[in-house]
Amino acid sequence: MLKENLAEVEKRVAVACRRAGRKREDVTLIAVSKTKPVSALREIMDCGVVDFGENKVQELCGKMEEITEPLHWHLIGHLQRNKVKYIVDKAYMIHSVDSIRLAREIQKEAQKSDTVCQVLIEINIGGEESKDGIPKEEAIPLIREIAELSRVQVKGLMTIAPPVERPEEARGYFKEMRALFEAVKAEQIPGVEMEELSMGMTGDFEVAIEEGSTMVRVGTAIFGARQYAV
Ligand SMILES: *Cc1c(COP(=O)(O)O)cnc(C)c1O
């Protein structure tokens, strides 16, 4: 069941890449496994997927204890400063850095565990009240500050597009993200490596790929709908 879902998503990613004239290997498919059991992750791992996305520190750490194979664990959800110490040497990449205070905490903990942490800067591209992430105007100043931190490696940008009815309606947001990505890159800030643009989820990943996404975070289309305990 999950294998068929994954094959279908893979096909759609490949078609979107072809449509956009991009190479398939330029887009990383992150399987977003939050709320799903380890057995489900294993099924997807068996198909060769190594990139998994989780939005909670505790859940990510728990799954890592059970699955010892070397995977890329992406932390895609909001990160509280008091949780940084649990994750700093475990996450392959933290997609949700949106303040200098959080970046400084990552620096401190990365120093302690003698590691360097790869991060993306989360942008609230729709300017939504309820969303994490910074307004796009703040991206360059924040990245300049973070670039001073020797153990926090900025690798690019991330966004969650506002919910839309049709994927096509998200295109404008993705275009804005791409333009911002290019603008940051053009600044050539020392120590900053603008390589990743993390955008696109189940509802809109094909449009995101067409607009230059390098990492799509797909949960529902692979693992099915999530059930949250009330
Ligand atoms: C849950 C989540 C996803 C995946 O969402 P789907 O719509 O299920 O594909 C992607 N990104 C973030 C940040 C998430 O929290």
Side-chain angles (χ1 to χ4, degrees):
M1 219 314 242
L2 298 190
K3 285 187 168 57
E4 282 87 61
N5 290 351
L6 177 67
E8 182 61 28
V9 169
E10 253 306 330
K11 198 162 76 192
R12 288 167 60 190
V13 168
V15 168
C17 284
R18 214 172 310 136
R19 205 162 42 228
R22 303 182 59 199
K23 290 197 227 111
R24 171 63 189 89
E25 59 266 32
D26 292 346
V27 179
T28 302
L29 172 61
I30 300 175
V32 176
S33 47
K34 63 190 186 197
T35 80
K36 299 296 176 181
V38 163
S39 58
L41 276 76
R42 288 220 170 269
E43 251 188 276
I44 297 302
M45 283 169 66
D46 287 345
C47 303
V49 171
V50 296
D51 289 274
F52 287 86
E54 291 284 340
N55 68 336
K56 293 211 166 74
V57 169
Q58 202 180 349
E59 191 175 343
L60 190 159
C61 291
K63 284 174 178 169
M64 262 191 102
E65 267 174 40
E66 287 189 62
I67 304 176
T68 53
E69 285 90 334
L71 297 175
H72 291 169
W73 293 96
H74 298 259
L75 184 74
I76 60 176
H78 180 69
L79 176 58
Q80 288 171 294
R81 272 177 295 139
N82 61 3
K83 302 263 174 74
V84 168
K85 56 177 174 286
Y86 303 116
I87 198 88
V88 76
D89 57 343
K90 296 195 177 72
Y92 173 77
M93 193 174 275
I94 297 173
H95 289 229
S96 49
V97 172
D98 62 358
S99 73
I100 188 65
R101 291 172 79 203
L102 176 58
R104 289 205 180 108
E105 183 66 20
I106 295 171
Q107 167 77 10
K108 190 180 94 193
E109 293 298 331
Q111 193 114 41
K112 276 193 209 162
S113 45
D114 194 20
T115 187
V116 173
C117 191
Q118 306 195 94
V119 306
L120 303 179
I121 307 305
E122 182 173 355
I123 309 295
N124 180 355
I125 199 65
E128 294 166 280
E129 200 79 36
S130 59
K131 280 265 176 78
D132 296 316
I134 56 167
K136 63 176 183 176
E137 295 74 23
E138 291 173 21
I140 290 173
L142 177 61
I143 292 170
R144 282 195 185 284
E145 269 192 281
I146 297 178
E148 304 286 325
L149 305 173
S150 57
R151 293 180 179 270
V152 185
Q153 176 66 66
V154 175
K155 298 296 282 186
L157 306 178
M158 178 271 222
T159 200
I160 303 171
V164 291
E165 274 186 20
R166 293 171 303 113
E168 196 54 40
E169 296 167 38
R171 190 180 297 277
Y173 298 113
F174 295 143
K175 275 191 198 295
E176 273 187 72
M177 282 298 295
R178 174 66 187 276
L180 179 62
F181 179 82
E182 297 299 338
V184 177
K185 205 171 181 172
E187 293 285 311
Q188 298 192 313
I189 302 166
V192 169
E193 297 172 356
M194 293 301 287
E195 292 171 4
E196 306 293 353
L197 186 49
S198 170
M199 59 186 193
M201 309 178 16
T202 290
D204 54 21
F205 69 86
E206 287 143 306
V207 177
I209 289 170
E210 288 170 17
E211 297 303 332
S213 172
T214 68
M215 290 180 153
V216 290
R217 311 177 307 264
V218 180
T220 308
I222 296 174
F223 292 103
R226 287 176 293 273
Q227 257 153 23
Y228 290 98
V230 259

